[in-house]
Amino acid sequence: MSTLSRNLPYFASGIVVKGFGRGSKELGVPTANFDQHVVDSLPKHIDCGVYYGWAQVPDLSGSKVHKMVMSIGWNPFYQNERKSMETHVLDLVGNDFYGSLLKVAIVGYIRPQKNFSSKEELIKVINEDLRFGAMMLDQLQYKEIVEHSFFDIPIQNGSHSDS
């Protein structure tokens, strides 16, 4: 277990808002974006980077918890001016999440954010991240998080850490 993993899981919830509009259109990887309040509430120990974990969208799938991969940061390739939390829910592709409550449990770290020389290189690495995250979430130690009370309790807009 890495030093970073000792600070996880980290739980966050909030309403999905319109993002930059490039996940689906440009990259083929739709993302659900948290409002800025949730992003600004991240503790300092959650560094910018790519993470994997679990997500729940009660409006779309009730109590079902899904695998997810999340990018946290400024996305250097696009030179974002504001930090974001962009969540790709692996088996809810094609659904519109805007205005829905999104609950996530971040359980593992994949890599730091980095810049890419081309959009094609970025897409390739994103797809590798998705495969790696899905594989890691098949491990028993991570599957147990699906049963955490966070996913049972109706939580509105906020976040907390629970080690």
Side-chain angles (χ1 to χ4, degrees):
M1 179 181 278
S2 73
T3 305
L4 181 63
S5 295
R6 289 188 212 136
N7 293 316
L8 299 174
Y10 178 76
F11 299 88
S13 65
I15 302 301
V16 176
V17 298
K18 189 145 181 75
F20 300 105
R22 47 185 183 237
S24 290
K25 295 175 188 147
E26 288 186 34
L27 304 174
V29 182
T31 58
N33 297 270
F34 279 118
D35 64 44
Q36 203 59 44
H37 166 76
V38 176
V39 178
D40 294 342
S41 297
L42 281 169
K44 297 204 182 311
H45 74 266
I46 303 290
D47 295 325
C48 292
V50 180
Y51 294 82
Y52 56 91
W54 299 101
Q56 184 183 58
V57 186
D59 291 352
L60 295 179
S61 59
S63 62
K64 184 171 182 191
V65 179
H66 308 271
K67 293 177 180 179
M68 68 88 178
V69 172
M70 175 187 287
S71 172
I72 298 175
W74 285 271
N75 301 320
F77 182 76
Y78 288 102
Q79 301 173 342
N80 289 0
E81 293 183 13
R82 65 183 164 110
K83 190 174 185 180
S84 64
M85 293 172 70
E86 299 178 82
T87 306
H88 176 75
V89 182
L90 273 67
D91 57 348
L92 282 181
V93 176
N95 290 288
D96 181 357
F97 296 18
Y98 298 129
S100 297
L101 176 66
L102 172 64
K103 296 166 70 173
V104 299
I106 301 170
V107 300
Y109 181 76
I110 298 175
R111 63 174 176 82
Q113 283 205 322
K114 64 179 194 171
N115 204 347
F116 296 93
S117 59
S118 68
K119 192 184 313 179
E120 292 73 26
E121 181 188 8
L122 171 61
I123 291 168
K124 178 179 177 268
V125 172
I126 288 172
N127 286 312
E128 290 169 0
D129 294 339
L130 296 176
R131 282 190 296 278
F132 180 80
M135 178 188 71
M136 292 301 292
L137 290 166
D138 285 333
Q139 295 181 17
L140 185 58
Q141 70 192 51
Y142 298 122
K143 285 184 173 185
E144 293 171 353
I145 299 294
V146 172
E147 302 300 323
H148 192 281
S149 62
F150 172 77
F151 291 116
D152 295 333
I153 302 167
I155 296 176
Q156 290 307 311
N157 198 9
S159 57
H160 72 279
S161 183
D162 184 29
S163 303

